[in-house]
Amino acid sequence: MALGATAPASAAYPEKPVRLVVGFSAGGTTDVTARILSKELTEALGEAVIVENKPGAGSNIATDYVKRAKPDGYTLLMVAVTSTINQTLYKNVSFDLNTDFEPVALAVRVPNILVVNPNVPVKSVKELIDYAKANPGKLNFASSGSGTSIHMAGELFKMLADVDVMHIPYKGSSPAVTDLLGGQVDFMFDNMPSAWPHVEAGKLRALAVTTEARAENAPDLPTMQESGFPTFDVSSWFGVIAPKGTPADVVEKLNAAIRTALKKDDVKARLADLGAVPADTTPAEFGQFIKSEVQSWATVVKASGATVD
């Protein structure tokens, strides 16, 4: 080798275990998705990809941690829609998703569904709006916490439908659904995996799915767009990002491994159990997606008046 010439630092990547950091506790959809991916990446890359949970501050602790990590491809973040909301929801965040990270790949999207307690006398989105307008201030909607995609979907509905309904935040989806089942709250935009079993059991009534396309496991359920809201396209989503400056060949290798994994039948089947739809994006496409999500949620956060110190 000529004097001064060196091989790229990433040429043999990976040469040691890779950490995939999750900003939420074990057991949630973000964590489960990360563990499905980590198993596939371990096989594809030939080195262990280890999920590391760093919950707190709506995933901001984990996001800041990965931002400060060495940009060598050995510390990655399982980023979720929550982070794009947090960018403007929190008064002071220590990161900028658009400039402090290298997008790797969007992994999956999980539809939310609008569900109501059966005691609410409505069977469609239009009927819910009409009922809310006829009874201003009477209805309330639950969420898994202030600033979550579930909360912001409700705020978007409130803004677009111009209805007077009250937000009731909970510490997680489970207690929110419990009170929705009990009638303490009236409706909710919940993640499909946690709400759909109650719909099938007749304990909740589904009015619409929040994604642009109908859900494969609920083909008869209309979308919010079909229900009169042409711009309504909301989902929980999860992807992988790396610290800014991570070598491009490392990013491309990870992107290729993720996209290949998401096309495997057994992986698609496991994700389907979560109500998740696999994605297929280049790093650049995922970067544009993140940018658009930050911009879209900033509008909703501003309109809702929601803020976290």
Side-chain angles (χ1 to χ4, degrees), residues 92-167:
N92 297 293
V93 289
S94 60
F95 57 84
D96 186 323
L97 289 177
N98 292 319
T99 60
D100 291 333
F101 298 92
E102 302 290 349
V104 176
L106 177 63
V108 299
R109 298 184 70 174
V110 179
N112 292 345
I113 54 174
L114 170 55
V115 287
V116 299
N117 181 282
N119 291 329
V120 180
V122 302
K123 294 185 178 180
S124 69
V125 175
K126 182 181 184 303
E127 288 183 6
L128 177 62
I129 295 170
D130 291 343
Y131 186 76
K133 287 184 180 293
N135 299 274
K138 179 179 178 179
L139 293 180
N140 51 43
F141 70 96
S143 81
S144 53
S146 295
T148 61
S149 66
I150 293 172
H151 170 209
M152 288 295 122
E155 294 291 350
L156 180 60
F157 169 71
K158 179 180 177 180
M159 178 178 68
L160 294 177
D162 190 25
V163 290
D164 179 11
V165 293
M166 182 181 296
H167 171 228

Side-chain angles (χ1 to χ4, degrees), residues 33 61 76 78 85 92 109 114 118 129 135 138 153 183 189 238 253 264 268 273 275 277 284 300 302:
T33 303
I61 290 175
L76 310 171
M78 195 73 193
I85 296 170
N92 297 293
R109 298 184 70 174
L114 170 55
I129 295 170
N135 299 274
K138 179 179 178 179
F189 284 86
F238 313 99
K253 188 170 187 177
K264 295 172 64 174
K268 289 192 288 187
D273 289 339
V277 180
V300 179
K302 183 178 179 179

Side-chain angles (χ1 to χ4, degrees), residues 44-241:
L45 299 176
E47 286 284 353
V49 176
I50 303 166
V51 174
E52 183 175 321
N53 299 91
K54 287 187 176 293
S59 78
N60 287 349
I61 290 175
T63 307
D64 180 71
Y65 175 80
V66 174
K67 170 197 168 183
R68 298 174 186 277
K70 186 176 180 180
D72 55 7
Y74 291 98
T75 305
L76 310 171
L77 178 69
M78 195 73 193
V79 67
V81 60
T82 307
S83 292
T84 59
I85 296 170
N86 290 353
Q87 193 73 69
T88 49
L89 178 70
Y90 282 75
K91 290 183 179 179
N92 297 293
V93 289
S94 60
F95 57 84
D96 186 323
L97 289 177
N98 292 319
T99 60
D100 291 333
F101 298 92
E102 302 290 349
V104 176
L106 177 63
V108 299
R109 298 184 70 174
V110 179
N112 292 345
I113 54 174
L114 170 55
V115 287
V116 299
N117 181 282
N119 291 329
V120 180
V122 302
K123 294 185 178 180
S124 69
V125 175
K126 182 181 184 303
E127 288 183 6
L128 177 62
I129 295 170
D130 291 343
Y131 186 76
K133 287 184 180 293
N135 299 274
K138 179 179 178 179
L139 293 180
N140 51 43
F141 70 96
S143 81
S144 53
S146 295
T148 61
S149 66
I150 293 172
H151 170 209
M152 288 295 122
E155 294 291 350
L156 180 60
F157 169 71
K158 179 180 177 180
M159 178 178 68
L160 294 177
D162 190 25
V163 290
D164 179 11
V165 293
M166 182 181 296
H167 171 228
I168 309 294
Y170 289 80
K171 293 182 178 180
S173 178
S174 180
V177 171
T178 297
D179 272 9
L180 179 61
L181 291 167
Q184 284 81 14
V185 287
D186 301 305
F187 69 96
M188 182 178 181
F189 284 86
D190 195 23
N191 292 158
M192 179 167 270
S194 60
W196 192 245
H198 300 297
V199 174
E200 291 184 310
K203 296 178 180 179
L204 293 177
R205 181 180 299 131
L207 302 185
V209 65
T210 62
T211 42
E212 186 177 17
R214 293 192 179 197
E216 289 187 11
N217 61 331
D220 295 330
L221 187 64
T223 67
M224 288 294 290
Q225 292 189 5
E226 291 172 321
S227 302
F229 297 93
T231 61
F232 207 112
D233 182 15
V234 174
S235 63
S236 294
W237 55 261
F238 313 99
V240 177
I241 59 178

